[in-house]
Amino acid sequence: MGHMKDGHLSITALDPGGKTGVAFYDADVIYNVDSQLEFLNEKWDTLQLVEPDHHKTLKHMLERRHVSNTIVVCESFQYRRPVDAPAVELISMEYIGVVKLVVQERPDIQVIWQTPGKVIPPKNKNHAGGFWTDEKLKQVRKWSAGRKHANDAMRHLLYYMAFTMGRRDLLEPLR
């Protein structure tokens, strides 16, 4: 991301859908004497928004998480319906619209759109893609049992932090 300000950093990663998965990262950021960014008091969390029509809940949550450095990582939507796929979840588009609204109202929030292909392992084990498998999530202790959407949001969060922000330290537990 661009230059961060000393202060708080909040990253919210979203897997928008009928049940929206959310992963949170919070830290205090400071530049040390070598002008390297340091992340202090790191906190991680996840939740799933499961009630129907959670547009307002999502909007308020994103607004409350607006701090001096705010990043929203959201799965982008591609309308592709392979023959063997279930009906596409168009509701995802509505929640993406909520994200766009919040970001338009608060232009200092940085939004990152990530395609599922690089991040989420494919249902068909023979297909390539999806760096953050369940196994890797477990190795870095960020997996939550039985919470598919929260895990998908965490995959987006970790992908962004490890590969876009360059937080290679997050990859160290992987064998």
Side-chain angles (χ1 to χ4, degrees):
M1 79 169 286
H3 192 76
M4 282 200 221
K5 304 187 272 282
D6 283 2
H8 294 291
L9 165 63
S10 97
I11 307 176
T12 308
L14 301 170
D15 171 38
K19 292 181 172 66
T20 293
V22 188
F24 301 113
Y25 173 82
D26 292 278
D28 297 315
V29 290
I30 57 162
Y31 286 90
N32 65 20
V33 288
D34 302 317
S35 301
Q36 292 294 309
L37 200 55
E38 290 195 15
F39 301 87
L40 308 172
N41 306 316
E42 294 183 300
K43 291 184 193 66
W44 303 78
D45 207 354
T46 55
L47 59 80
Q48 297 190 136
L49 302 175
V50 297
E51 75 275 16
D53 295 329
H54 51 261
H55 306 72
K56 197 191 263 183
T57 307
L58 177 61
K59 181 173 187 279
H60 290 166
M61 183 188 75
L62 291 171
E63 288 169 346
R64 278 197 310 274
R65 291 187 50 73
H66 187 196
V67 295
S68 48
N69 302 286
T70 306
I71 302 169
V72 176
V73 179
C74 188
E75 181 169 301
S76 58
F77 184 88
Q78 284 112 358
Y79 182 76
R80 283 196 309 266
R81 192 169 168 216
V83 183
D84 59 345
V88 70
E89 264 196 290
L90 291 173
I91 188 74
S92 302
M93 289 303 295
E94 295 188 17
Y95 298 123
I96 286 171
V98 171
V99 172
K100 289 183 173 178
L101 173 64
V102 171
V103 171
Q104 281 176 11
E105 290 176 344
R106 296 158 188 254
D108 64 317
I109 295 179
Q110 185 184 5
V111 67
I112 307 290
W113 302 100
Q114 288 184 161
T115 59
K118 289 192 184 110
V119 182
I120 313 283
K123 289 181 183 68
N124 179 342
K125 297 281 185 275
N126 302 323
H127 293 169
F131 179 82
W132 285 102
T133 59
D134 284 353
E135 196 47 51
K136 286 179 185 164
L137 278 190
K138 288 171 187 168
Q139 285 173 18
V140 299
R141 307 176 75 143
K142 298 284 182 279
W143 188 78
S144 25
R147 298 172 73 219
K148 174 190 180 319
H149 304 285
N151 286 329
D152 283 350
M154 183 58 78
R155 294 180 223 278
H156 277 289
L157 177 60
L158 287 168
Y159 189 90
Y160 170 75
M161 291 182 71
F163 299 112
T164 307
M165 276 179 79
R167 286 285 307 270
R168 298 299 186 189
D169 56 300
L170 297 173
L171 302 174
E172 278 167 19
L174 302 178
R175 352 179 232 291

